[in-house]
Amino acid sequence: MSQEIAVIGSPDFTTGFRLAGVRKFENVPDERKDEELDDAVMRTLDDDDVGIVVMHDDDMAHLSREAREAVEGSIEPVLVTLGGGAGSGGLREQIKRAIGIDLMEED
């Protein structure tokens, strides 16, 4: 079964992904993130067709504690955050969570 990428965020953030062919998205305007982002995230996590969820790193601050724990603990779909200067440590943790092993671990 093939799974899709979903993107959640402001219309400015999601537009580039939509132009690249991402069909599943949740537009949440910046001024509505505190009210609507949790619901958009939970709908996307509950979608069986989604394998990867892409969000901007800054949007994590708008999530409630419950939604943040659901996203951070989700194995499928896996969350990938972009921007915000997460650095390689953040990416390393995302890859480790997605595939279950640390590819950069030194023996």
Side-chain angles (χ1 to χ4, degrees):
M1 177 173 141
S2 177
Q3 292 188 310
E4 297 189 51
I5 296 172
V7 63
I8 303 170
S10 68
D12 290 339
F13 182 72
T14 63
T15 297
F17 290 94
R18 292 173 53 207
L19 291 172
V22 173
R23 296 180 297 186
K24 293 195 176 268
F25 62 93
E26 291 275 353
N27 281 332
V28 182
D30 288 334
E31 63 275 3
R32 305 284 308 155
K33 284 190 178 170
D34 289 331
E35 297 86 18
E36 298 178 9
L37 192 60
D38 278 4
D39 289 336
V41 166
M42 298 312 287
R43 276 193 304 272
T44 305
L45 289 180
D46 290 338
D47 187 338
D48 292 335
D49 294 332
V50 174
I52 299 172
V53 178
V54 179
M55 289 179 60
H56 194 282
D57 189 60
D58 293 342
D59 288 344
M60 294 296 286
H62 295 277
L63 293 177
S64 68
R65 178 184 220 174
E66 295 81 21
R68 185 183 330 237
E69 288 174 356
V71 169
E72 290 174 349
S74 178
I75 305 233
E76 190 175 311
V78 66
L79 172 71
V80 175
T81 57
L82 302 176
S88 62
L91 181 58
R92 179 180 183 173
E93 287 303 312
Q94 291 172 19
I95 293 169
K96 183 176 164 184
R97 187 174 64 221
I99 64 174
I101 59 171
D102 187 352
L103 294 175
M104 295 183 246
E105 184 178 59
E106 295 181 22
D107 292 324

